[in-house]
């Protein structure tokens, strides 16, 4: 309730943000997050990667992203079976289509369910370019090749470290 009130007081629009993402087997699903951007963030420009100091992010959104609180509603996606706790970050179909044309083996990251957190997310800064997507794919493929309960626990540990030290985007 506190997060919802903060979002409502900071900017007009819904509290929750829904967006189509690509999941396991290249199947689309709807991800839910707390809204961190202006309600009209992409109305004029369409789908673009978020950049550092992006003017579309609200004041409350900066705090929610830094603390990763914006991700909490994704627990519903985990319960519905679309996501797991650890796995590659689910991307938007617009980006996936483009990246599959440019980057060999990009779709192999969809062999597993996307995750709330992942090896690429805790090992590489927030990406906003094709070059970043290539580097993150390396981490995702390494994770898929070496997937284990111990690796998942290590990623979860690193995730807590990122959140507690405020190393979020």
């Amino acid at each position: 309730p506190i997060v919802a009130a903060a979002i409502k007081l900071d900017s007009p629009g819904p509290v929750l943000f829904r967006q189509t993402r690509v999941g396991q087997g290249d199947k689309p699903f709807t991800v839910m997050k707390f809204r961190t951007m202006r309600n009209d963030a992409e109305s004029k420009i369409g789908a673009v990667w978020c950049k550092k100091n992006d003017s579309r992010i609200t004041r409350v959104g900066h705090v929610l992203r830094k603390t990763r609180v914006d991700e909490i509603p994704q627990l519903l996606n985990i319960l519905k079976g679309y996501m797991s706790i650890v796995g590659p970050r689910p991307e938007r179909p617009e980006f996936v289509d483009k990246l599959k044309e440019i980057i060999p083996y990009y779709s192999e990251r969809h062999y597993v369910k996307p995750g709330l957190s992942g090896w690429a997310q805790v090992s590489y800064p927030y990406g906003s370019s094709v070059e970043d997507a290539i580097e993150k794919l390396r981490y995702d493929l390494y994770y898929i090749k070496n997937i284990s309960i111990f690796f998942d626990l290590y990623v979860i540990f690193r995730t807590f470290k990122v959140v507690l030290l405020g190393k979020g985007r």
Side-chain angles (χ1 to χ4, degrees), residues 40-58:
D40 66 345
E42 294 184 340
S43 61
K44 295 176 184 156
I45 56 175
V48 293
W49 274 308
C50 185
K51 298 177 182 75
K52 190 173 184 172
N53 300 320
D54 198 314
S55 64
R56 300 172 299 162
I57 300 173
T58 65

Side-chain angles (χ1 to χ4, degrees), residues 34-106:
F34 284 120
R35 184 174 57 81
T36 60
M37 290 190 173
R38 293 188 326 262
N39 199 34
D40 66 345
E42 294 184 340
S43 61
K44 295 176 184 156
I45 56 175
V48 293
W49 274 308
C50 185
K51 298 177 182 75
K52 190 173 184 172
N53 300 320
D54 198 314
S55 64
R56 300 172 299 162
I57 300 173
T58 65
R59 291 176 305 221
V60 168
H62 280 289
V63 174
L64 296 178
R65 284 173 172 239
K66 190 82 166 162
T67 59
R68 307 286 174 118
V69 169
D70 64 319
E71 310 282 353
I72 290 173
Q74 289 185 55
L75 293 172
L76 293 172
N77 293 106
I78 292 170
L79 292 174
K80 290 178 180 179
Y82 298 123
M83 293 177 66
S84 62
I85 294 172
V86 178
R89 174 185 164 85
E91 282 293 352
R92 297 173 64 178
E94 302 91 336
F95 299 147
V96 170
D97 292 342
K98 178 182 174 187
L99 294 170
K100 280 170 37 176
E101 289 177 12
I102 299 170
I103 305 171
Y105 308 109
Y106 188 79

Side-chain angles (χ1 to χ4, degrees), residues 22-26 96 99-100 103-112 137 141 144:
V22 177
Q24 187 175 25
D26 283 327
V96 170
L99 294 170
K100 280 170 37 176
I103 305 171
Y105 308 109
Y106 188 79
S107 274
E108 290 188 20
R109 67 192 303 276
H110 299 128
Y111 286 169
V112 299
L137 177 63
L141 295 178
I144 292 167

